[in-house]
Amino acid sequence: MRHLIAAASVLALAACGMNGTDDTDEKEQSAVADHMSVEENGADAMHSNDPAPGEQASVDIPDPEDRPIMQAQVVLDRHGFGPGVIDGKMGMSTKNAIEGFQEANDLEVTGKLDEATKTALAQWNNIPATRVVTIPSDWGDRQYRDVPDSPAEQAKLQRLGYENLDERIAERFHTTIDTLKMLNPDGRPAGAKAAPASPSAASPTPTPTSTSSAGEDVGTQEQASYFTAGQQIRVPNIGADRIDGSSIRDKGWQATLQSLGVGTQQPHLAKIVVDKSGDWLKGYDKDGKLVVEFTVTSGSSHDPLPIGTWGITGISHNPSFSYDPDLFWDVPDSDAKQKLPPGPNGPVGVVWIDLTKEHYGIHGTSAPETIGRAQSHGCVRLTNWDAARLAQMVDTQTKVIFQA
């Protein structure tokens, strides 16, 4: 679990009441972005490779389990109905995703994988629930380190990046570290007969960090990881990850999309609606058709969601965060203001969508497994991968409605 959600501070709940976020410039983003092995389509080497319609996937290491819920989660995630973390379990986020798919396809909205929904999803039965990938060798070169709880200590860093390799892989495949371990018993892909390619969980390999040429993090701090660079592992078979690099001027943002397994082909939304009681965000096209739905965390008893109709003033990719204790009820006013660096483990994750309601926005999170569970400071919080998708779907013409 990331340190940001363990702290009894504003950062524990991915703070809102923003005093402002700032985009790092293109040169800085490129310097601090995760290094990826990029293929022609702009995605990383672990991108999905789907069979043609009606054909079966070519699988080198068959999965010994069917995993029907995970397969449904994978398909829903690919089509914009985000089930939150993909873990093969029927939780609230998966129920919301199913309801969104049912509504969009004129099915009875039950939130269950009933027969009508299974029939509608059956056209994608050739998409396996999981696939086996090789972790890029250069992922072992990345610098991982603990994110300190104190904003003052966070402010000393150049980037609030991933704490270890496992966390990075989990975010890349929209899942959790525990799910990855379940899919890779004894450190090898489920169904594999070869000897483990990495140490077991009982004897993790520390991945040291050191000073980078960009001055990223000074000093050495060891982080234990279950997985290792160059290792074959089984992961949820997320897709829709094709990236058109020619459409992205900011290469730092392209690296972020790569690290999240998020593609650039996204629908445009004319309106989004956030429902406080249902913990969901729905997106509609210009014809009023529902095209996406994500589970969100929105507001709390101390900082309720600002009900009403709002607009979007701008979108910040990989934003830094202006931390102002005066704006938060649960932070001592004696704390000093801080300028926190960008990164996936920052208080607003990889994206800030700024609203016409001052100090409020829609953003990512450092703790995807808490979406729909923990409270926020009034803003709307999504997983980093869903926030990155949403940021490509909206613009300053998109209407934003918050309802109870």
Side-chain angles (χ1 to χ4, degrees), residues 310-314 352-358 360-362 400 402:
W310 311 102
I312 293 174
T313 64
W352 173 264
I353 300 174
D354 196 52
L355 301 180
T356 52
K357 173 68 172 175
E358 188 177 11
Y360 285 84
I362 302 172
V400 178
F402 290 165

Side-chain angles (χ1 to χ4, degrees), residues 69 72 76 90-103 107-121:
I69 296 177
L76 290 166
M90 277 294 297
M92 182 192 70
S93 295
T94 299
K95 177 177 178 292
N96 283 347
I98 293 171
E99 288 180 348
F101 177 82
Q102 291 169 333
E103 180 180 341
L107 302 172
E108 181 183 1
V109 178
T110 65
K112 299 177 181 179
L113 283 173
D114 50 35
E115 289 307 313
T117 304
K118 290 178 182 178
T119 298
L121 290 170

Side-chain angles (χ1 to χ4, degrees), residues 140-216:
D141 300 334
R142 182 76 173 104
Q143 292 165 340
Y144 306 104
R145 59 162 298 149
D146 280 334
V147 174
D149 294 339
S150 166
E153 293 301 313
Q154 292 175 14
K156 296 177 182 178
L157 304 178
Q158 294 295 313
R159 183 170 172 80
L160 297 175
Y162 296 118
E163 294 193 311
N164 53 46
L165 179 64
D166 298 348
E167 183 182 58
R168 184 180 181 186
I169 299 167
E171 190 122 308
R172 169 63 179 82
F173 291 100
H174 306 180
T175 190
T176 65
I177 295 174
D178 285 344
T179 300
L180 290 174
K181 290 180 178 180
M182 179 270 292
L183 293 174
N184 296 274
D186 301 319
R188 65 179 184 271
K193 297 180 180 180
S198 70
S200 68
S203 56
T205 299
T207 303
T209 67
S210 59
T211 305
S212 72
S213 59
E216 191 164 304

